[in-house]
Amino acid sequence: MSTAKDLFIIAMDPQPDRPVGQGDLSLALAGAELIDLLGAQIVTLDGDSIVPGGQSAPDDRQLEEASQALTRQVPYERVEDWLWRRGRDLASAYQSALEAEGQLARGRSGRSLFGAERVELVDSPARRQALHRWEADEPVLAALAAVVGIESAPSEEEPEFDDEAVTTVLAIVNDAVMELEAVRQRRSIEKAAFANVWRAP
């Protein structure tokens, strides 16, 4: 299982204080993919640019798709641009992939991130692995979950990341989610202002 799949499972399994937004989760999933590609030495970072390295395919269909989507010509893609491009509708893609793998099932008691039709996690090794990482407060998974509003149990120690590239990706994911929230707020204000114009005498 990949960090992105574990993150998706965690986003569905607990009951966070606030619902996880599909756009926020999609950006975080793209960041999780990039972190796994870094860990597999398929890419490196040059500043905030993603430099493709080895051509070995990851043992995961979604990560393989992410690897194939890399920009392999100079100028290489910046992490921020990757998040917005790769992250487009990525949460829905992960839902479909997990359903195809039998990790999700249609049901009445589950809650859907993406509308009225309900899906629920099945009891599987993948779910247990994701929960094990979550309960162990694995730093990368915990950091990505926190970005989308899922808080783990308070820890006395600040998470530390030995890899500077991972730290860079996490920071840029956080900035992208904040930017998305700012766009939402601006649109909400504009919508309210437009409504007030029509209600004005």
Side-chain angles (χ1 to χ4, degrees):
M1 288 288 287
S2 68
T3 300
K5 285 183 179 177
D6 288 346
L7 176 62
F8 187 94
I9 288 171
I10 294 303
M12 290 199 64
D13 203 66
Q15 299 293 329
D17 292 338
R18 64 181 177 84
V20 177
Q22 183 177 0
D24 296 351
L25 183 57
S26 291
L27 289 168
L29 290 170
E33 288 183 338
L34 184 54
I35 288 171
D36 280 347
L37 293 176
L38 285 164
Q41 299 183 330
I42 292 172
V43 301
T44 57
L45 289 191
D46 180 8
D48 65 350
S49 296
I50 304 168
V51 181
Q55 302 296 317
S56 57
D59 187 23
D60 180 274
R61 193 182 75 177
Q62 279 67 47
L63 284 180
E64 183 177 359
E65 290 177 0
S67 176
Q68 292 173 352
L70 293 168
T71 299
R72 298 187 178 277
Q73 297 176 344
V74 177
Y76 296 121
E77 192 167 29
R78 296 168 61 238
V79 173
E80 180 182 6
D81 297 332
W82 161 265
L83 295 179
W84 290 106
R85 180 174 66 85
R86 175 65 182 167
R88 186 181 299 274
D89 297 325
L90 192 56
S92 293
Y94 268 84
Q95 178 177 335
S96 298
L98 288 171
E99 282 190 74
E101 294 172 5
Q103 310 294 341
L104 295 176
R106 302 287 170 174
R108 295 179 180 178
S109 60
R111 67 182 183 87
S112 176
L113 293 170
F114 317 124
E117 191 170 14
R118 299 293 181 178
V119 291
E120 58 186 2
L121 291 163
V122 302
D123 186 20
S124 66
R127 180 185 183 186
R128 290 192 290 272
Q129 175 186 305
L131 290 176
H132 176 73
R133 285 185 71 185
W134 178 247
E135 291 166 359
D137 204 24
E138 196 277 322
V140 170
L141 183 61
L144 288 166
V147 166
V148 298
I150 307 170
E151 298 294 340
S152 60
S155 174
E156 295 181 359
E157 298 181 2
E158 288 293 326
E160 295 183 2
F161 305 102
D162 296 331
D163 192 325
E164 183 178 345
V166 170
T167 303
T168 298
V169 172
L170 289 171
I172 296 174
V173 170
N174 186 66
D175 289 346
V177 170
M178 290 178 62
E179 181 180 343
L180 183 59
E181 178 60 26
V183 170
R184 287 197 198 101
Q185 291 181 4
R186 185 167 64 248
R187 288 178 178 173
S188 177
I189 292 170
E190 290 172 351
K191 184 177 180 180
F194 184 75
N196 288 335
V197 168
W198 282 104
R199 285 198 297 265

Coordinates of all heavy atoms in Angstrom, one line a residue, residues 2 4-5 8 12 22-23 25-27 29-30 33 60-63 65-66 85-104 106 113-114:
S2 N 0.4 2.3 -0.6 CA 1.1 3.5 -0.7 C 0.6 4.5 0.4 O -0.4 4.3 1.0 CB 0.9 4.2 -2.1 OG -0.5 4.6 -2.2
A4 N -0.5 7.4 -0.2 CA -1.7 8.0 -0.7 C -2.9 7.2 -0.4 O -4.0 7.7 0.1 CB -1.6 8.3 -2.2
K5 N -2.8 5.9 -0.6 CA -4.0 5.0 -0.3 C -4.2 5.0 1.2 O -5.4 5.0 1.7 CB -3.7 3.6 -0.8 CG -3.9 3.5 -2.3 CD -3.7 2.1 -2.8 CE -3.9 2.0 -4.3 NZ -3.6 0.6 -4.8
F8 N -6.1 8.1 2.1 CA -7.5 8.1 1.6 C -8.3 7.2 2.6 O -9.4 7.6 3.0 CB -7.6 7.5 0.2 CG -9.0 7.5 -0.3 CD1 -9.3 8.6 -1.2 CD2 -9.9 6.6 -0.1 CE1 -10.6 8.7 -1.7 CE2 -11.2 6.6 -0.6 CZ -11.6 7.7 -1.4
M12 N -11.4 8.4 5.3 CA -12.8 7.8 5.3 C -13.1 7.2 6.7 O -14.2 7.1 7.1 CB -12.9 6.8 4.2 CG -13.0 7.4 2.8 SD -13.7 6.2 1.7 CE -15.4 6.0 2.3
Q22 N -12.9 17.4 -0.9 CA -12.4 16.6 -2.0 C -11.2 17.3 -2.6 O -10.2 16.6 -2.9 CB -13.5 16.4 -3.1 CG -13.0 15.5 -4.2 CD -14.1 15.2 -5.2 OE1 -15.2 15.7 -5.1 NE2 -13.7 14.5 -6.2
G23 N -11.2 18.6 -2.7 CA -10.1 19.3 -3.3 C -8.8 19.3 -2.4 O -7.7 19.0 -2.9
L25 N -8.2 17.0 -0.2 CA -7.7 15.6 -0.2 C -6.9 15.3 -1.4 O -5.9 14.6 -1.4 CB -8.8 14.6 0.0 CG -8.4 13.1 0.1 CD1 -7.4 12.9 1.3 CD2 -9.7 12.3 0.3
S26 N -7.4 15.8 -2.6 CA -6.8 15.5 -3.9 C -5.4 16.1 -3.9 O -4.4 15.5 -4.3 CB -7.6 16.1 -5.0 OG -8.8 15.4 -5.2
L27 N -5.2 17.3 -3.4 CA -3.9 17.9 -3.3 C -3.0 17.1 -2.4 O -1.8 16.9 -2.7 CB -4.0 19.4 -2.8 CG -4.6 20.4 -3.7 CD1 -4.9 21.7 -3.0 CD2 -3.7 20.6 -4.9
L29 N -3.2 13.9 -1.6 CA -2.9 12.7 -2.3 C -1.8 12.8 -3.3 O -0.9 12.0 -3.4 CB -4.2 12.1 -2.9 CG -5.3 11.6 -2.0 CD1 -6.5 11.3 -2.8 CD2 -4.8 10.4 -1.2
A30 N -1.8 13.9 -4.0 CA -0.7 14.2 -5.0 C 0.6 14.3 -4.3 O 1.6 13.9 -4.7 CB -1.1 15.4 -5.8
E33 N 1.8 10.9 -3.1 CA 2.4 10.2 -4.2 C 3.8 10.6 -4.5 O 4.7 9.8 -4.6 CB 1.6 10.4 -5.5 CG 0.2 9.7 -5.5 CD -0.5 9.8 -6.8 OE1 -0.2 10.8 -7.6 OE2 -1.4 9.0 -7.2
D60 N 2.7 -0.3 -7.6 CA 1.4 0.2 -7.3 C 0.8 0.9 -8.5 O 1.5 1.7 -9.1 CB 1.5 1.2 -6.1 CG 0.2 1.8 -5.7 OD1 -0.2 2.8 -6.3 OD2 -0.4 1.3 -4.7
R61 N -0.4 0.6 -8.9 CA -0.9 1.2 -10.1 C -1.0 2.7 -10.1 O -0.6 3.3 -11.1 CB -2.3 0.6 -10.4 CG -2.8 0.9 -11.8 CD -4.2 0.3 -12.1 NE -5.2 1.2 -11.4 CZ -6.5 1.0 -11.5 NH1 -6.9 -0.1 -12.2 NH2 -7.3 1.7 -10.9
Q62 N -1.5 3.3 -9.0 CA -1.6 4.7 -9.0 C -0.3 5.4 -9.0 O -0.1 6.4 -9.6 CB -2.4 5.1 -7.7 CG -3.9 5.0 -7.9 CD -4.4 3.6 -8.0 OE1 -3.9 2.7 -7.2 NE2 -5.2 3.3 -9.0
L63 N 0.7 4.8 -8.2 CA 2.1 5.4 -8.3 C 2.7 5.2 -9.6 O 3.5 6.1 -10.1 CB 2.9 4.7 -7.2 CG 2.7 5.2 -5.7 CD1 3.6 4.4 -4.8 CD2 2.8 6.7 -5.6
E65 N 1.1 5.3 -12.4 CA 0.4 6.4 -13.2 C 1.1 7.7 -12.9 O 1.3 8.6 -13.8 CB -1.1 6.4 -12.9 CG -1.8 5.3 -13.5 CD -3.3 5.3 -13.2 OE1 -3.7 6.3 -12.5 OE2 -4.0 4.4 -13.6
A66 N 1.4 8.0 -11.6 CA 2.0 9.2 -11.2 C 3.4 9.3 -11.8 O 3.8 10.4 -12.3 CB 2.1 9.3 -9.7
R85 N -1.8 20.0 -11.0 CA -2.1 19.2 -12.2 C -2.4 17.7 -11.8 O -3.5 17.2 -12.2 CB -0.8 19.2 -13.1 CG -1.1 18.4 -14.4 CD 0.1 18.6 -15.3 NE 1.4 18.0 -14.8 CZ 1.7 16.7 -15.0 NH1 0.9 15.9 -15.6 NH2 2.9 16.3 -14.5
R86 N -1.6 17.1 -11.1 CA -1.8 15.7 -10.7 C -3.0 15.5 -9.8 O -3.8 14.5 -9.8 CB -0.6 15.1 -10.1 CG -0.7 13.7 -9.5 CD -1.0 12.7 -10.6 NE -1.2 11.3 -10.1 CZ -1.7 10.3 -10.7 NH1 -2.0 10.4 -12.0 NH2 -1.8 9.1 -10.1
G87 N -3.2 16.6 -9.0 CA -4.3 16.5 -8.0 C -5.7 16.7 -8.5 O -6.7 16.4 -7.8
R88 N -5.8 17.1 -9.7 CA -7.2 17.3 -10.3 C -8.0 16.0 -10.2 O -7.7 15.0 -10.9 CB -7.1 17.8 -11.7 CG -8.4 18.2 -12.3 CD -8.3 18.7 -13.7 NE -7.4 19.9 -13.8 CZ -7.8 21.1 -13.6 NH1 -9.1 21.4 -13.4 NH2 -7.0 22.1 -13.7
D89 N -9.1 16.0 -9.4 CA -10.0 14.9 -9.3 C -9.3 13.6 -8.8 O -9.8 12.5 -9.0 CB -10.7 14.6 -10.6 CG -11.6 15.7 -11.1 OD1 -12.2 16.4 -10.2 OD2 -11.7 16.0 -12.3
L90 N -8.1 13.7 -8.1 CA -7.4 12.6 -7.7 C -8.1 11.8 -6.6 O -8.0 10.5 -6.6 CB -6.0 13.0 -7.3 CG -5.0 11.8 -7.1 CD1 -4.8 11.0 -8.4 CD2 -3.6 12.4 -6.6
A91 N -8.8 12.4 -5.8 CA -9.6 11.7 -4.7 C -10.6 10.8 -5.3 O -10.8 9.7 -4.9 CB -10.2 12.7 -3.8
S92 N -11.3 11.3 -6.3 CA -12.3 10.4 -7.0 C -11.6 9.2 -7.7 O -12.1 8.1 -7.7 CB -13.1 11.2 -8.1 OG -13.9 12.2 -7.5
A93 N -10.4 9.4 -8.2 CA -9.7 8.4 -8.9 C -9.3 7.3 -7.9 O -9.3 6.1 -8.1 CB -8.4 8.9 -9.6
Y94 N -8.9 7.8 -6.7 CA -8.5 6.8 -5.6 C -9.7 6.0 -5.1 O -9.7 4.8 -4.8 CB -7.8 7.5 -4.5 CG -6.3 7.5 -4.7 CD1 -5.6 8.4 -5.5 CD2 -5.5 6.5 -4.1 CE1 -4.3 8.4 -5.7 CE2 -4.1 6.4 -4.3 CZ -3.5 7.4 -5.1 OH -2.2 7.4 -5.3
Q95 N -10.9 6.7 -5.0 CA -12.1 6.0 -4.6 C -12.4 4.9 -5.6 O -12.7 3.8 -5.3 CB -13.3 7.0 -4.5 CG -14.6 6.2 -4.2 CD -15.7 7.1 -4.0 OE1 -15.6 8.3 -3.7 NE2 -16.9 6.6 -4.2
S96 N -12.3 5.2 -6.9 CA -12.6 4.2 -8.0 C -11.6 3.1 -7.9 O -12.0 1.9 -8.0 CB -12.6 4.9 -9.3 OG -13.6 5.9 -9.5
A97 N -10.3 3.4 -7.7 CA -9.3 2.3 -7.6 C -9.5 1.4 -6.4 O -9.4 0.2 -6.6 CB -7.9 3.0 -7.6
L98 N -9.8 2.0 -5.3 CA -10.0 1.2 -4.1 C -11.3 0.3 -4.2 O -11.4 -0.8 -3.7 CB -10.1 2.0 -2.8 CG -8.7 2.6 -2.4 CD1 -8.9 3.6 -1.3 CD2 -7.8 1.5 -2.0
E99 N -12.3 0.9 -4.9 CA -13.5 0.1 -5.1 C -13.2 -1.1 -6.0 O -13.6 -2.2 -5.8 CB -14.6 0.9 -5.8 CG -15.4 1.8 -4.8 CD -16.6 2.5 -5.5 OE1 -17.6 1.7 -5.7 OE2 -16.5 3.7 -5.8
A100 N -12.4 -0.9 -7.1 CA -12.0 -1.9 -8.0 C -11.2 -3.0 -7.3 O -11.2 -4.2 -7.7 CB -11.2 -1.3 -9.2
E101 N -10.4 -2.6 -6.3 CA -9.6 -3.6 -5.5 C -10.3 -4.3 -4.4 O -9.8 -5.1 -3.7 CB -8.4 -2.8 -4.9 CG -7.4 -2.3 -5.9 CD -6.3 -1.4 -5.3 OE1 -6.3 -1.3 -4.1 OE2 -5.5 -0.8 -6.0
G102 N -11.6 -3.9 -4.3 CA -12.4 -4.5 -3.2 C -12.2 -3.9 -1.8 O -12.6 -4.5 -0.8
Q103 N -11.5 -2.7 -1.7 CA -11.2 -2.1 -0.5 C -12.4 -1.3 0.0 O -12.6 -1.0 1.2 CB -10.0 -1.2 -0.5 CG -8.8 -1.9 -1.1 CD -8.2 -3.0 -0.2 OE1 -8.5 -3.1 0.9 NE2 -7.5 -3.9 -0.8
L104 N -13.3 -0.9 -0.9 CA -14.5 -0.1 -0.6 C -15.7 -0.9 -1.2 O -15.6 -1.5 -2.2 CB -14.4 1.3 -1.3 CG -13.4 2.3 -0.8 CD1 -13.5 3.5 -1.7 CD2 -13.6 2.6 0.6
R106 N -20.2 -0.5 -1.7 CA -21.4 0.4 -1.6 C -22.1 -0.1 -0.4 O -22.3 -1.3 -0.1 CB -22.2 0.2 -2.8 CG -21.5 0.6 -4.1 CD -21.3 2.1 -4.2 NE -20.5 2.5 -5.3 CZ -20.2 3.7 -5.7 NH1 -20.8 4.7 -5.1 NH2 -19.4 4.0 -6.7
L113 N -17.3 10.8 0.7 CA -16.6 12.1 0.6 C -17.2 12.9 -0.5 O -17.0 14.1 -0.6 CB -15.1 11.9 0.4 CG -14.3 11.3 1.6 CD1 -12.9 10.9 1.1 CD2 -14.3 12.2 2.8
F114 N -17.8 12.3 -1.4 CA -18.1 12.9 -2.7 C -19.6 12.9 -3.1 O -19.9 12.7 -4.3 CB -17.3 12.3 -3.8 CG -15.9 12.0 -3.4 CD1 -15.4 10.7 -3.5 CD2 -15.1 13.0 -2.9 CE1 -14.1 10.5 -3.1 CE2 -13.8 12.8 -2.5 CZ -13.3 11.5 -2.6

